[in-house]
Amino acid sequence: MFLTRFQINPARRGARKLLGSPQSMHAAVRAAFAAPEDHERDGVRTLWRLDAPTPTTVYLYITSPGRPDLTHLVEQAGWPTTDAWVTRDYGGLLDSLRPGQDWAFRLTANPVHSGRKTADSKETQRFGRLREEDQVNWLLSRAADRGFRIATQQDGRPNLRLHHSQTLNFKRGLANVTLATVTYDGILQIADAAAFRRALRGGIGHGKAYGCGLLTLAPAG
């Protein structure tokens, strides 16, 4: 498994198209893999996320079963005269995870709740959780099954910071798609290493094709 970071040049026209449409970005990420098994294998799927530490600095992060080739993204939305992208082996980190370890993390997710199925709908509709309290509770309620717990601060509140809460509207073919997303930063502790590895490989929540579900780690403290 691999972790890739690619810097997007938001001043380029192709970049603006990709940044404005999760469907277009999904297609661009999918095009980075010539073989289907490099994009998805049993228990491991390709996940991606956009991080924008400043208005002019945007990074695309990808975890994938196989090594991606992002030449087409460099030509369309990158910086052709600089280092194009960095790909590192992810397996070593996954193998090193142990219960009791503390990690800083970032996750962009699609926190939703399911409504009732209607006569006009073939599938149960999902509605975005828009209040911060509901978004926090959404993550807390899923942590245990995914092998981790959120650390608490001295005041007893979860060690979490929520930002970039937004509702995206875009086209998927002829259909209109609405996707509510939020980014979580915080500190977690691993409780079940095997379950946590599955969450890192497979993603958390819905909207994985559209930039949600990828949880990344950094040393805590």
Side-chain angles (χ1 to χ4, degrees):
M1 193 166 179
F2 298 91
L3 172 65
T4 300
R5 188 180 81 167
F6 172 82
Q7 186 170 2
I8 294 174
N9 180 353
R12 300 189 67 176
R13 180 180 300 176
R16 293 196 295 271
K17 176 184 176 181
L18 293 175
L19 295 174
S21 169
Q23 174 65 22
S24 296
M25 185 65 80
H26 165 66
V29 171
R30 179 64 186 85
F33 303 93
E37 61 270 21
D38 287 339
H39 181 261
E40 186 167 356
R41 300 175 190 169
D42 288 343
V44 185
R45 63 174 296 162
T46 294
L47 302 166
W48 62 271
R49 187 184 74 226
L50 292 172
D51 282 0
T54 73
T56 58
T57 305
V58 183
Y59 292 106
L60 169 65
Y61 288 91
I62 303 170
T63 56
S64 54
R67 185 182 291 272
D69 182 344
L70 302 182
T71 303
H72 63 298
L73 275 177
V74 175
E75 296 169 349
Q76 181 180 1
W79 304 83
T81 61
T82 63
D83 291 339
W85 69 88
V86 177
T87 297
R88 294 190 173 92
D89 178 74
Y90 200 41
L93 174 63
L94 294 176
D95 291 342
S96 73
L97 299 175
R98 297 290 184 271
Q101 290 177 342
D102 293 328
W103 291 92
F105 75 93
R106 173 167 291 178
L107 166 70
T108 294
N110 169 222
V112 297
H113 64 91
S114 297
R116 294 181 179 179
K117 185 183 294 186
T118 65
D120 298 331
S121 177
K122 295 180 180 179
E123 298 180 353
T124 301
Q125 287 186 301
R126 302 188 185 103
F127 300 92
R129 296 181 180 269
L130 303 180
R131 295 195 310 159
E132 182 170 313
E133 178 182 359
D134 293 336
Q135 294 170 341
V136 169
N137 289 334
W138 178 89
L139 182 59
L140 295 178
S141 68
R142 282 154 179 76
D145 287 345
R146 288 151 184 83
F148 66 97
R149 62 178 67 92
I150 302 298
T152 55
Q153 304 178 95
Q154 290 184 348
D155 60 7
R157 292 184 300 173
N159 195 327
L160 281 175
R161 181 175 71 90
L162 278 60
H163 55 102
H164 286 95
S165 181
Q166 58 184 328
T167 299
L168 306 173
N169 296 284
F170 57 95
K171 288 281 190 180
R172 183 177 60 193
L174 297 177
N176 294 311
V177 178
T178 299
L179 190 72
T181 70
V182 64
T183 299
Y184 302 84
D185 286 342
I187 304 294
L188 62 77
Q189 184 177 81
I190 300 174
D192 181 331
F196 189 52
R197 290 189 194 99
R198 288 194 296 270
L200 293 178
R201 293 186 179 111
I204 297 175
H206 297 284
K208 298 184 184 75
Y210 304 119
C212 297
L214 171 57
L215 189 151
T216 53
L217 302 173

